Amino acid sequence: MRIAVLNYDRCQPRKCSKECHKYCPRVRTGDETIYFGEKGKPIISEELCVGCGICVDKCPYKAIMIIGLPEALKEPPTHRYGTNGFVLYGLPTPQAGRVTGILGPNGIGKSTVVNILSGTLVPNLGEYKEESSWDRVIERYSGTQIQDYFRKLVNGKVNVSQKPQYIDKIPKAFNGNTRELLEKADDRGVLNQLIERLDLDEIIDRNINELSGGELQRVAIAACMVKDAEFYFFDEISPYLDIYQRINVAQLIQELAQEKAVLVVEHDLAILDMLADVVHVAYGVPGAYGVITYPKGVRIAINQYLKGYLPEENIRIRPEPIEFEVHPPRAEAEVETLVEYGKFSKQYKDGFSLTSDGGSLKQGEVLGVVGPNGIGKSTFVKVLAGEIEPDDGELDFDINISFKPQYVKGDINLRVQDFLRSITSRFDTSYYQGEIARPLQIEELYDKMLPNLSGGELQRVAIAACLSRDADMYILDEPSAHLDVEQRSLATKAIKRFAENNKKTAMVVDHDIYMIDMLSERLIVFEGKPAVYGVAKRPSSMQEGMNKFLSNLDITFRRDDDTSRPRVNKPNSRLDREQKSAGEYYYYGFDE
């Protein structure tokens, strides 16, 4: 069983020689395996295709995918987007009283799932040439829990509230202040409670277009929660929120789910682990097909996803597992120092002040930078990068710094490859392609225009652009935002390998504990009071730094016995109390 998928955006029949048709062996024998439609783009017959892959290799724009589906996939499609379009198999089942999670890569059909469950899209069950009907859908799912859900949906008994993935689009859709937006949506009469729980007091009367990414994220979450609905969908709650805010939001969603059905897509595995009751793993080929598995226990689903093998489905979704180091990274002996910096401070007119302890940065190391939002992390890296002058203290070093900001914009009207080629002369070398472009999956974006990139695509290009510049130190502010689990793992490996191979120093500011854990050799911890003052501590070992950071947040992590991944302990649980008394908030049970 195979499917043929055509990427309509990439396909350029007016610019190519129709290689897919010219070289197809079945076409040469007289069959109409590939023919051209009204718009001049090829249509591939899946019944006649033998899966040789010649059209895939010959297409100059890489617009064709011929995919052999897993033998175990026997169920018919849930929905297909026309001839040679994306195919979705399976659906999650929202249930009142629990949080259902979806774990999978971007482009695997999560938006299609939400459109179906919200009633916006009537699934065609793979019969895209026929008109879809809810009667057929309800009959197809006879005897299942989702049949009851669809009946309620058709009868108008299900209202849907959705938090979008890309919050930067909110200011473009709404012109006004935060209070106006939230009061307009408040059907449940819980706005005042959420203003307090989400710390929105200081921004409630500010205009939406003045809010930072973290503030916009909390407003978007509040806007979703205040609506009166039976089904709530949260698409990525973690970007731009610090770990304390993430855990706070997770607790709010769990409270909401005591009476409502909640579906969450989240790529921060530590948060998904503590938030969800069950998880559906989504696998397949992004942009081609996606399969939603039956629900699994949270720990089982995450561990299977990390290992890359789903035993119940007998499917390998990744050639190699995503692994975590059991021990904190050891300090390398006789590592050369790149720079030493002394104490410095910066005072702003709004009253916020940052003070930094002195420290040293080593060649070839990756430093993690952690702390709450509004504590001065971005100010710290901008001072190091030379973008901001400190008020007291001097940074007496002369090094080149490449800086990726927290918020990236695709406002330059260039193709991705032209943009990257303008940054580095090494773009066309095999080294660049192997060390940066391929690991970050940039090659598939080369012909796209920067303004047309999604948030995750733009993030990967921004990381590549940062690493492309010739510098002594590379500072990346929240590189995990909008990346799925797979992309975060690949970005982590690319950054770490780049620093080691080139003996460059990398500094990564991020709130994803998994990414910091896999990436960092040492840690810079920020303390203080958000929006009032911040203190940047000297670089420390991972164990010392994480213990200091998590003790400030009153959170403990344990290690999963199977995968060694960090897992949040429930507050006041036996392990939580035991670790706090031992002063081991993160590496409990392992010796450095």
Side-chain angles (χ1 to χ4, degrees):
M1 183 178 177
R2 68 177 58 86
I3 59 171
V5 179
L6 179 70
N7 188 316
Y8 276 76
D9 293 331
R10 288 188 190 176
C11 182
Q12 303 289 336
R14 293 181 180 179
K15 297 180 180 179
C16 72
S17 301
K18 296 182 172 55
E19 286 87 349
C20 56
H21 184 270
K22 183 187 298 184
Y23 292 102
C24 175
R26 294 300 298 264
V27 170
R28 289 184 171 188
T29 62
D31 291 335
E32 287 193 344
T33 306
I34 298 179
Y35 57 99
F36 295 91
E38 294 178 0
K39 295 183 179 180
K41 300 200 175 186
I43 296 173
I44 304 170
S45 170
E46 293 170 345
E47 292 78 13
L48 296 177
C49 176
V50 295
C52 66
I54 292 176
C55 59
V56 177
D57 295 332
K58 293 293 184 181
C59 176
Y61 297 101
K62 305 298 179 186
I64 298 173
M65 288 185 279
I66 306 294
I67 300 165
L69 296 178
E71 292 293 330
L73 192 62
K74 297 178 180 178
E75 62 178 278
T78 301
H79 187 77
R80 185 159 198 182
Y81 288 96
T83 305
N84 300 147
F86 178 86
V87 193
L88 175 70
Y89 294 87
L91 282 173
T93 306
Q95 287 189 2
R98 74 180 187 184
V99 178
T100 301
I102 299 182
L103 174 58
N106 292 327
I108 210 72
K110 297 187 289 287
S111 297
T112 301
V113 165
V114 176
N115 288 335
I116 291 173
L117 294 179
S118 66
T120 306
L121 175 66
V122 183
N124 57 30
L125 309 180
E127 302 296 332
Y128 53 86
K129 294 181 180 179
E130 300 178 14
E131 187 175 351
S132 304
S133 73
W134 281 115
D135 290 337
R136 228 174 73 209
V137 173
I138 291 172
E139 182 182 352
R140 154 79 181 278
Y141 290 101
S142 177
T144 64
Q145 290 180 324
I146 203 166
Q147 182 191 43
D148 297 332
Y149 176 85
F150 280 140
R151 278 179 176 158
K152 292 179 182 177
L153 183 68
V154 172
N155 293 329
K157 296 180 180 180
V158 174
N159 294 322
V160 178
S161 181
Q162 180 179 354
K163 189 215 77 83
Q165 179 182 13
Y166 301 119
I167 55 172
D168 56 331
K169 296 180 180 179
I170 296 175
K172 300 176 183 177
F174 181 82
N175 185 21
N177 67 34
T178 304
R179 187 184 297 276
E180 292 170 348
L181 172 65
L182 295 180
E183 286 182 345
K184 186 177 181 181
D186 186 20
D187 301 324
R188 297 171 58 217
V190 295
L191 177 56
N192 290 335
Q193 177 187 345
L194 286 176
I195 288 174
E196 181 181 353
R197 296 284 298 273
L198 290 170
D199 295 323
L200 300 176
D201 306 76
E202 295 184 4
I203 65 170
I204 193 65
D205 293 313
R206 283 167 52 190
N207 286 333
I208 289 292
N209 59 11
E210 297 175 356
L211 302 184
S212 68
E215 292 165 345
L216 265 179
Q217 187 71 270
R218 284 179 284 141
V219 169
I221 291 167
C224 179
M225 286 186 170
V226 296
K227 293 178 183 176
D228 188 14
E230 286 71 41
F231 171 47
Y232 292 83
F233 175 74
F234 295 87
D235 197 348
E236 291 192 42
I237 62 171
S238 63
Y240 310 122
L241 299 186
D242 63 43
I243 187 170
Y244 178 81
Q245 294 168 331
R246 294 178 186 196
I247 290 176
N248 183 41
V249 170
Q251 292 170 343
L252 279 172
I253 291 175
Q254 286 176 321
E255 293 172 15
L256 178 68
Q258 291 177 3
E259 299 178 356
K260 305 291 185 176
V262 177
L263 185 67
V264 175
V265 174
E266 181 52 58
H267 300 302
D268 185 331
L269 296 184
I271 297 302
L272 182 66
D273 191 12
M274 69 166 292
L275 170 64
D277 297 302
V278 295
V279 170
H280 296 261
V281 176
Y283 68 91
V285 176
Y289 80 98
V291 181
I292 310 295
T293 69
Y294 291 111
K296 303 171 184 281
V298 181
R299 177 178 178 272
I300 292 172
I302 293 177
N303 285 358
Q304 288 181 0
Y305 189 81
L306 290 174
K307 290 179 179 179
Y309 178 66
L310 310 178
E312 294 86 357
E313 291 78 12
N314 192 26
I315 295 295
R316 179 160 293 283
I317 60 175
R318 190 185 311 107
E320 296 179 355
I322 297 174
E323 297 178 337
F324 294 84
E325 292 188 38
V326 173
H327 301 281
R330 298 179 184 274
E332 294 289 337
E334 300 180 359
V335 177
E336 291 186 24
T337 298
L338 174 67
V339 294
E340 292 188 1
Y341 60 93
K343 292 184 178 181
F344 65 85
S345 64
K346 178 67 181 178
Q347 178 81 38
Y348 286 93
K349 292 181 180 179
D350 61 5
F352 177 80
S353 64
L354 170 69
T355 302
S356 172
D357 293 343
S360 62
L361 308 177
K362 308 292 184 180
Q363 289 187 356
E365 77 169 342
V366 180
L367 290 103
V369 180
V370 295
N373 280 337
I375 207 75
K377 297 187 302 297
S378 293
T379 297
F380 175 78
V381 296
K382 286 178 180 178
V383 169
L384 290 184
E387 293 191 8
I388 296 177
E389 289 290 331
D391 296 327
D392 295 313
E394 293 184 3
L395 301 184
D396 188 19
F397 52 79
D398 184 18
I399 60 173
N400 293 321
I401 294 178
S402 178
F403 179 53
K404 185 204 83 68
Q406 181 181 15
Y407 307 117
V408 293
K409 297 180 179 179
D411 51 4
I412 304 174
N413 197 30
L414 283 175
R415 291 187 308 168
V416 169
Q417 60 176 307
D418 296 331
F419 170 65
L420 293 176
R421 192 175 276 116
S422 69
I423 294 175
T424 177
S425 59
R426 299 181 297 170
F427 178 80
D428 294 305
T429 64
S430 58
Y431 167 82
Y432 184 89
Q433 299 303 317
E435 290 294 312
I436 296 178
R438 203 165 297 125
L440 291 171
Q441 299 177 329
I442 301 296
E443 293 172 310
E444 61 194 43
L445 307 176
Y446 279 168
D447 292 319
K448 283 192 172 185
M449 303 297 289
L450 286 172
N452 298 332
L453 297 179
S454 68
E457 292 170 341
L458 192 59
Q459 188 70 257
R460 281 147 50 201
V461 171
I463 296 171
C466 180
L467 299 182
S468 297
R469 300 184 182 98
D470 188 14
D472 302 299
M473 184 163 73
Y474 297 80
I475 302 175
L476 300 101
D477 198 346
E478 200 155 348
S480 71
H482 300 309
L483 299 186
D484 60 39
V485 176
E486 199 86 25
Q487 292 166 344
R488 291 181 190 200
S489 175
L490 292 171
T492 296
K493 291 178 181 177
I495 295 168
K496 194 166 187 176
R497 187 169 56 241
F498 178 86
E500 291 175 350
N501 291 349
N502 296 280
K503 294 185 178 180
K504 302 291 187 179
T505 304
M507 188 177 289
V508 176
V509 182
D510 213 286
H511 300 295
D512 186 328
I513 292 294
Y514 281 28
M515 191 169 192
I516 290 292
D517 183 69
M518 290 190 291
L519 190 66
S520 309
E521 295 170 49
R522 291 195 297 161
L523 212 58
I524 297 177
V525 179
F526 279 71
E527 298 179 338
K529 186 175 181 180
V532 180
Y533 73 94
V535 179
K537 296 296 184 178
R538 63 172 178 78
S540 63
S541 70
M542 284 291 290
Q543 185 170 26
E544 178 187 346
M546 288 306 297
N547 279 338
K548 183 182 296 182
F549 172 55
L550 295 178
S551 65
N552 293 337
L553 298 175
D554 199 32
I555 297 167
T556 59
F557 278 79
R558 67 189 184 279
R559 290 280 179 171
D560 183 78
D561 294 334
D562 194 13
T563 61
S564 298
R565 64 184 172 88
R567 302 187 70 194
V568 180
N569 288 322
K570 291 183 178 179
N572 297 318
S573 65
R574 180 187 62 81
L575 264 178
D576 183 58
R577 296 194 306 270
E578 189 176 306
Q579 289 182 224
K580 285 176 180 176
S581 64
E584 295 291 343
Y585 286 72
Y586 196 60
Y587 288 107
Y588 186 67
F590 297 101
D591 296 323
E592 186 172 7

